[in-house]
């Protein structure tokens, strides 16, 4: 299969501009600059490209919400705050093929009429941030960024903004707050960022992988893109596999490849050939699936139909013998640690949930704790300001749905049901 | 007191934005990096003055993000071991207790010679090469106890 996103990743010094060009790069932006911006938006709409950050929102539609008024300053923010546990795909693009992201951003900025773009990268990715900055410097030197790029009358400045350790900044309005120099707490929507985003100006926020698809869509057309994978959820996807498989890593595959194929063909199967117990298909916010579900195709709609989500397509594989109480505890600890504190159900609920799971995990569970957890889920889900609280609930509900007896056993016997 | 070098860095960071306040995060990190990886109250207030932002807002930002080290000083090498799910499935806790034993400190502490601070981190985006840790800016991946011992010995020898 032809790769779109990781095609250059194993080539020597792919991060250099001259090598990106030699590998066919920066052709699409030249082509774009000869097109009407609206035509590009239509192409991306026609391609059915859906956001790779997690939510799967149609990218072209998002762009089309930007007002056409040419006197308004507009912004593009690339969401590179990769933090959903299990996810490590965007990092690969930024570390090894930063010009792919830059070209995607250039085309997007031209299409939406933005003259300034930011890459919001999580602070821990210092290496990726420095690679991006070096790539941006190279692009300026060559006249690919700055005034009148590629001899057109389009001018563009791109900058890197480093986060400083906060998962919540992957939520788009929290990201904007952070870019404006504040605490990364989500904003009330509406207004949506397309109308009032960065500095209250129209703003598009797209994930790294989403933007990485744009040059190929421009080059080969929406019909070509739509023909890869399911029509309503097309393209390739970078699946990041971790956990108990023989060959963890990144696999770029057409959307809709079944989990089974990913785990047993591409990743070589289970480590030590142990049976598969559970798999999280899209980062820890996505409810886990069990062995019986792994023929489900990895696309947005098929995963939703199974009651989970494709999310960031971060696949965490767990073998027989993994204690699900511990898994639930670790996941919950993460969400309570990352709760921004803005709204009560999330701030209080996730930490309460974590305390209960901690005591069950450490042999101090009390009768009624499972019911308490279920009631906490009830009181968090759908009642929080942003989806972080929902993520905490979905993760826990997934574990309780399939493995409730392990929680009950842990409480009654003060120890693990499984022999891990 | 901020040095000329730090002030120059802050000036450069400001150029990336139309708004002075947007430079807060970058400025705080520049200060921290130039001050032995630590952030003091005085330095935060100096940043507030330069960027024309109320000091309270600067403290609020420093308090919100995990990478600003203002609560207590960190040592020369700040070890952050990922203990989220993918790393935990492959033995992160074992590595943590091994390091606690080797370094003679518990999580959150710094060795008496100020060489190492040991903390945990929540998913550093390196799950395919779990278990992993970050020391300073560098990632160390596919860890084993033997690898960890060697990394710590090398850092000690280098310092």
């Amino acid at each position: 299969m032809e790769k779109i996103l990781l095609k250059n990743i194993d080539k020597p010094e792919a991060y250099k501009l001259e090598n990106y060009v030699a590998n066919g790069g920066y052709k699409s932006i030249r082509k774009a600059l000869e097109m009407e911006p609206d035509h590009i938006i239509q192409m991306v709409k026609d391609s059915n490209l859906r956001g790779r950050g997690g939510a799967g929102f149609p990218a072209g539609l998002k762009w089309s919400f930007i007002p056409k008024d040419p006197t308004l300053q507009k912004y593009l923010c690339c969401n590179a705050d990769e933090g959903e546990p299990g996810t490590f795909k965007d990092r690969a693009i930024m570390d090894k093929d930063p010009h792919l992201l830059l070209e995607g951003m250039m085309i997007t900025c031209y299409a939406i009429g933005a003259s300034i773009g930011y890459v919001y990268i999580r602070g821990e990715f210092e290496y990726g941030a420095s690679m991006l900055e070096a790539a941006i410097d190279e692009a300026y030197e060559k006249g690919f960024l700055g005034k009148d790029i590629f001899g057109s009358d389009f001018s563009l400045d791109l900058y890197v903004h480093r986060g400083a350790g906060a998962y919540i900044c992957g939520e788009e309005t929290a990201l904007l707050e952070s870019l404006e120099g504040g605490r990364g707490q989500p904003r009330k929507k509406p207004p949506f960022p397309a109308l009032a985003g960065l500095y209250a100006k129209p703003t598009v926020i797209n994930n790294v992988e989403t933007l990485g698809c744009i040059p190929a869509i421009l080059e080969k057309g929406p019909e070509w893109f739509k023909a890869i994978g399911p029509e309503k959820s097309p393209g390739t996807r970078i699946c990041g596999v971790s956990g108990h498989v023989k060959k963890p890593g990144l696999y770029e595959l057409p959307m809709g490849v079944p989990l089974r194929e990913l785990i047993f063909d591409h990743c070589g199967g289970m480590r030590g050939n142990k049976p598969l117990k559970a798999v999280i298909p899209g980062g820890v916010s996505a409810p886990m699936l069990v062995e019986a579900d792994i023929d489900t195709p990895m696309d947005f709609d098929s995963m939703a139909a199974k009651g989970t989500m494709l999310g960031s397509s971060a696949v965490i594989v767990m073998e027989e013998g993994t204690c699900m109480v511990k898994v639930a505890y670790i996941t919950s600890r993460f969400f309570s640690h990352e709760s921004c504190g803005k709204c009560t159900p999330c701030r209080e609920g996730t930490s309460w949930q974590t305390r209960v799971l901690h005591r069950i995990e450490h042999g101090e569970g009390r009768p009624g704790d499972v019911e308490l957890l279920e009631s906490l889920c009830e009181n968090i889900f759908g009642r929080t300001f942003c989806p972080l609280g929902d993520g905490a609930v979905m993760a826990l509900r997934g574990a309780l749905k399939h493995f409730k007896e392990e929680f009950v056993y842990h409480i009654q016997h003060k120890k693990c049901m499984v022999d891990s | 007191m901020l040095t000329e070098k730090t002030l120059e860095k802050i000036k450069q960071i400001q150029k990336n934005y139309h708004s002075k306040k947007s430079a807060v995060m970058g400025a705080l990190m520049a200060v921290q990096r130039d001050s032995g990886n630590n952030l003091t109250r005085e330095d935060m207030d100096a940043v507030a003055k330069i960027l024309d932002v109320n000091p309270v807002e600067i403290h609020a930002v420093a308090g919100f993000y995990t990478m600003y080290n203002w609560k207590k000083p960190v040592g020369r090498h700040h070890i952050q071991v990922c203990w989220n799910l993918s790393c935990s499935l492959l033995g992160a806790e074992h590595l943590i207790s091994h390091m606690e034993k080797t370094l003679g400190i518990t999580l959150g502490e710094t060795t008496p010679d100020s060489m190492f601070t040991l903390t945990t981190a929540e998913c550093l985006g390196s799950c395919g090469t779990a278990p992993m840790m970050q020391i300073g800016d560098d990632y160390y991946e596919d860890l084993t106890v033997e690898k960890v011992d060697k990394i710590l010995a090398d850092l000690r020898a280098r310092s």
Side-chain angles (χ1 to χ4, degrees), chain A residues 118 161 164 179 182 199 242 333, chain B residues 16-17 22 60 65 67 83 86 123:
Chain A
Y118 290 99
H161 181 96
L179 239 169
Y199 310 127
S242 62
R333 181 186 67 202
Chain B
N16 294 358
Y17 312 98
S22 278
Y65 300 93
M67 286 173 65
W83 69 346
S86 302
C123 197

Side-chain angles (χ1 to χ4, degrees), chain A residues 393-411:
Chain A
V393 170
M394 290 190 292
L396 177 56
R397 278 185 175 160
L400 284 171
K401 178 181 168 192
H402 298 290
F403 302 103
K404 195 189 264 186
E405 71 283 2
E406 280 189 40
F407 291 78
V408 173
Y409 187 96
H410 239 287
I411 294 167

Side-chain angles (χ1 to χ4, degrees), chain B:
Chain B
M1 261 297 278
L2 303 185
T3 62
E4 279 304 313
K5 183 181 140 205
T6 311
L7 291 172
E8 181 52 36
K9 277 191 198 170
I10 295 174
K11 218 179 255 172
Q12 288 302 322
I13 292 165
Q14 282 182 263
K15 289 185 182 162
N16 294 358
Y17 312 98
H18 290 317
S19 142
K20 272 188 171 180
K21 200 181 167 208
S22 278
V24 166
M25 292 178 72
L28 286 177
M29 196 50 79
V31 171
Q32 178 167 299
R33 282 179 179 275
D34 291 348
S35 319
N37 211 16
N38 288 294
L39 205 50
T40 62
R41 174 75 181 247
E42 291 69 38
D43 287 347
M44 287 192 238
D45 291 347
V47 169
K49 219 171 197 169
I50 295 168
L51 299 179
D52 204 11
V53 175
N54 191 319
V56 172
E57 291 186 68
I58 301 281
H59 303 160
V61 167
F64 186 80
Y65 300 93
T66 57
M67 286 173 65
Y68 298 119
N69 303 320
W70 56 274
K71 277 186 198 145
K72 54 179 181 179
V74 297
R76 180 161 183 173
H77 302 294
H78 184 188
I79 308 171
Q80 302 186 74
V81 192
C82 173
W83 69 346
N84 209 295
L85 188 53
S86 302
C87 284
S88 171
L89 289 172
L90 297 176
E93 282 89 350
H94 179 61
L95 293 179
I96 292 169
S97 40
H98 176 76
M99 277 190 267
E100 284 181 324
K101 226 164 67 188
T102 319
L103 298 171
I105 51 174
T106 55
L107 279 179
E109 289 181 342
T110 300
T111 53
D113 60 359
S114 295
M115 185 74 81
F116 296 106
T117 298
L118 181 66
T119 61
T120 55
E122 292 291 0
C123 197
L124 293 167
S126 185
C127 322
T129 42
M132 65 79 64
M133 62 182 174
Q134 182 171 24
I135 305 180
D137 286 336
D138 300 323
Y139 275 30
Y140 297 87
E141 302 168 305
D142 289 314
L143 293 176
T144 58
V145 165
E146 295 72 34
K147 263 193 180 176
V148 165
D149 286 344
K150 186 165 182 321
I151 292 161
L152 297 186
D154 286 351
L155 285 173
R156 237 184 236 290
R158 243 201 285 152
S159 303

Side-chain angles (χ1 to χ4, degrees), chain A residues 372-409:
Chain A
L372 175 57
L373 287 174
E374 282 167 341
S375 129
L376 280 170
C377 286
E378 191 73 24
N379 282 290
I380 299 171
F381 194 79
R383 298 171 202 267
T384 56
F385 204 84
C386 84
L388 190 143
D390 289 348
V393 170
M394 290 190 292
L396 177 56
R397 278 185 175 160
L400 284 171
K401 178 181 168 192
H402 298 290
F403 302 103
K404 195 189 264 186
E405 71 283 2
E406 280 189 40
F407 291 78
V408 173
Y409 187 96

Side-chain angles (χ1 to χ4, degrees), chain A residues 67-74 113 115 201-202:
Chain A
K68 304 290 175 203
D69 181 354
T71 62
L72 279 175
Q73 171 70 52
K74 300 164 194 107
S115 59
K201 296 288 192 293

